[in-house]
Amino acid sequence: MKECIEVDFVACTIHFAIIKTALLLVTVRKELKFEGSLMELSNRELSALIWTAAILVYIFFKDKGDNIAKSFKLLVRAFFSPQIMVVVLCAALWIILCLLGLHYVDIWTTANLKTTILWSFAFAFLTLMDVNRISEDNTYFKKTIRDTVNVTAIITFIAEAYSFPLFAELVLFPFLFCVTAMHVMSGKKKEHASVHSLMSGMLVTVGCAYIGYGIYMAATDFEDFATWSNLCEFFIPIILSLLFLPYLYLISILVSYELIWVSLRFALKDASLRRYAMLQATIRFRFDLEGLRRWKRNVGAYPPESREGILNAISEVKKYQKRERSPSNVSPDAGWCPIAATGFLLSENLKTSDYHRTYDDEWWASSTYLTINEESLFSSNIAYYISGDKQAVKRLKLVLNVNNNEDSEVAEARFHQVCEVLFLSSIGDASSEVLERISHGDDIDTEVHGRRVRLRKEAFVNTSRGGYSRTMTIDYSPDCRAPYE
């Protein structure tokens, strides 16, 4: 009885909090609505705030041991650390300077304040929190520019320009949350394929409804829609995103140098040699983050013991970067050109890292894992490796990891496709006989146009999901053996 009363009390408290939050937000919306301003919250934004507040209230009420509250305090304390606050405050100053510049040319006004605040949290703040990944991803800025300026931005703006009545938005928010969650979870198992298709259809239907409603309202209310203020509302997030990229680039450089300084403390025990290494790296690489990362990796693998060794490590990276820009020809009898081999599977999203020296003077490069089913928890994947010496690649290796037997059919089809591309790129001919044997799952050890082609299959052990791996290697010569075995 006591438990029932406690549950009812908590439920009533939550309902009361939801009602109070809704009334408060409605009041705030009325207060923020002043002439010439777009600070008014739309019904969609108001609905999101109400449900977010309700979920937070529920979570904290259910937190009997104050574990969530303690974790939240630690998170807040970590956020307000001096290192993070300096970066955030400098970002705020950068944004303010950008807004002053846009205001000077009559693009930004206080009417765009709400859009600016939303952009600051949705783009600027989140990207700053992920700056470590930005400093490691050479394609981040290209992807960001491409994603910022595309047709999707126009469609999203039209869909978000008009919202449904508040009651409809309050119903749609939890509905879409549940449908999205079911869509993700149902994609992890093959037996839930029908549910996954149903959820996909529902998401597409709701998305089309949002877009269709936006287009209809814009068409019927075109005079109010096609205004200078709406045009500014559309372009301001795009302009701010592009203007924020130089700051992100600067921060990524500082983070990269800080990480390198930390790694040098472990690689170089001599403090004077460590300072000399950092000075030379700063002078020689400057804004070349890719070269800097390569140098850090080489120093970690082969720590130099003198200033000459520091300079030699830098020179090695510089020479190979120059070689990448102007690759030399490699005789087919000697293997493959390393620069060409790293891009054999570029069309299949299997671009490798740079070809570099490893232990025992062997050179190699590898790709990241290509996930075959993004929505599966234990998705199968494919990886691509190349190895050889400084002058030429001697071996190409393609590995398929089937981590779940339910994905085996799709994984095998994808592996067969990638194998065909690799044959065409490396040998110049996709042997139909070999490809047929690959599709049948046979083990292979044969010669194709003077290259040794092998394929083997190994079952995984100690796993309830089953699974196996298939490894295909193409050697530059039928007599190729160790050290590339």
Side-chain angles (χ1 to χ4, degrees), residues 411-423:
E412 288 286 354
R414 188 75 173 94
F415 182 65
H416 185 276
Q417 177 185 346
V418 177
C419 285
E420 184 175 359
V421 174
L422 185 58
F423 271 116

Side-chain angles (χ1 to χ4, degrees), residues 24 38 57 159 189 192 194 256 288 294 331 369 380 397 473:
L24 177 63
L38 292 179
V57 169
K189 291 189 176 182
H192 298 156
S194 58
S256 296
D288 181 11
R294 295 183 186 186
S331 171
Y369 287 112
S380 301
K397 183 165 70 172
T473 58

Side-chain angles (χ1 to χ4, degrees), residues 10-11 35 71 73 122 124 183 260 305 320 323 329 336 399 436 469 484:
V10 172
E35 186 176 357
S71 300
K73 290 178 182 178
H183 179 263
I260 287 173
E305 299 178 354
Y320 197 78
R323 182 182 175 185
N329 294 326
W336 296 275
V399 179
E436 184 177 356
S469 69
Y484 311 111

Side-chain angles (χ1 to χ4, degrees), residues 18-28 50:
I18 293 173
I19 294 171
K20 290 290 290 182
T21 303
L23 293 173
L24 177 63
L25 290 172
V26 170
T27 304
V28 169
I50 291 172

Side-chain angles (χ1 to χ4, degrees), residues 263-264 266-268 294-304 359:
S263 66
L264 287 180
F266 297 95
L268 304 177
R294 295 183 186 186
W295 175 77
K296 181 189 75 170
R297 179 195 59 213
N298 293 352
V299 169
Y302 304 96
Y359 299 101

Side-chain angles (χ1 to χ4, degrees), residues 62-120:
K62 296 293 288 184
D63 183 26
K64 300 298 183 182
D66 290 335
N67 295 323
I68 297 177
K70 292 177 182 177
S71 300
F72 182 74
K73 290 178 182 178
L74 292 175
L75 180 63
V76 172
R77 187 179 302 170
F79 175 77
F80 283 99
S81 63
Q83 295 89 342
I84 295 179
M85 287 307 300
V86 168
V87 174
V88 172
L89 290 176
C90 288
L93 179 61
W94 182 282
I95 294 171
I96 290 172
L97 292 175
C98 292
L99 294 178
L100 290 175
L102 293 176
H103 180 69
Y104 181 77
V105 295
D106 294 329
I107 294 179
W108 188 90
T109 65
T110 54
N112 308 116
L113 185 58
K114 185 191 74 173
T115 300
T116 305
I117 294 174
L118 292 176
W119 170 86
S120 298

